[in-house]
Amino acid sequence: MAAGTVRVDSWLWAVRVYKTRSQATAACRAGHVKIGGTSVKAAQPVRIGDQVRIRIAGFDRILVVKQTIVKRVSAVTAAESYIDETPPPPSREERAFAPLRDRGAGRPTKRERREIDKLRGRDGNEDWMPEL
């Protein structure tokens, strides 16, 4: 690798985004790590100034590389190695409420379906069968 570069999986582990390097490698294999908008392999070199986008638990985390480190360091030093440009999560009011059903609960009853429709803002008077 060129001077001033380090493997992306090693860097993600060193700055404490992932607990283990194998977790960082698995995330790269799964396509959860992107540099400059492109999915990368674990051996992709990362340079100072690169924007790394990581998908964790359904949310994107955007980090800009300030310092390339290979060894795992203290949390304070790790936090100084990147600039976190992650937008704040949406508030509870902004998030759409989705009714949750227990896994294996089967189809909703007629009453439950009407309650779901009411939550979604449907009045129930729409034709369920399209015109032919």
Side-chain angles (χ1 to χ4, degrees):
M1 283 192 202
T5 63
V6 66
R7 287 173 57 116
V8 69
D9 63 338
S10 179
W11 184 80
L12 289 171
W13 168 74
V15 296
R16 297 172 175 257
V17 174
Y18 292 102
K19 270 188 169 183
T20 65
R21 186 161 165 201
S22 61
Q23 285 179 339
T25 304
C28 291
R29 261 193 227 122
H32 297 299
V33 179
K34 296 182 180 190
I35 297 177
T38 307
S39 291
V40 295
K41 293 184 178 181
Q44 177 77 26
V46 85
R47 295 170 184 80
I48 295 173
D50 282 349
Q51 185 183 55
V52 182
R53 185 178 292 258
I54 308 115
R55 188 113 176 125
I56 298 175
F59 296 100
D60 281 349
R61 191 158 175 214
I62 303 167
L63 307 176
V64 177
V65 181
K66 262 175 62 174
Q67 183 180 14
T68 55
I69 55 176
V70 181
K71 298 288 183 186
R72 197 155 170 109
V73 292
S74 70
V76 175
T77 309
E80 295 170 353
S81 299
Y82 60 84
I83 301 167
D84 194 354
E85 294 184 346
T86 307
S91 66
R92 287 187 173 194
E93 292 80 31
E94 291 175 356
R95 279 187 253 149
F97 176 74
L100 297 175
R101 292 182 53 79
D102 293 332
R103 186 170 173 86
R107 290 178 55 177
T109 63
K110 192 171 192 176
R111 172 189 243 168
E112 290 170 339
R113 184 185 51 78
R114 287 180 177 158
E115 290 172 357
I116 291 169
D117 286 345
K118 190 186 296 184
L119 282 172
R120 291 184 177 164
R122 299 183 198 142
D123 60 2
N125 293 330
E126 295 98 15
D127 288 336
W128 63 273
M129 198 164 188
E131 293 287 326
L132 296 179

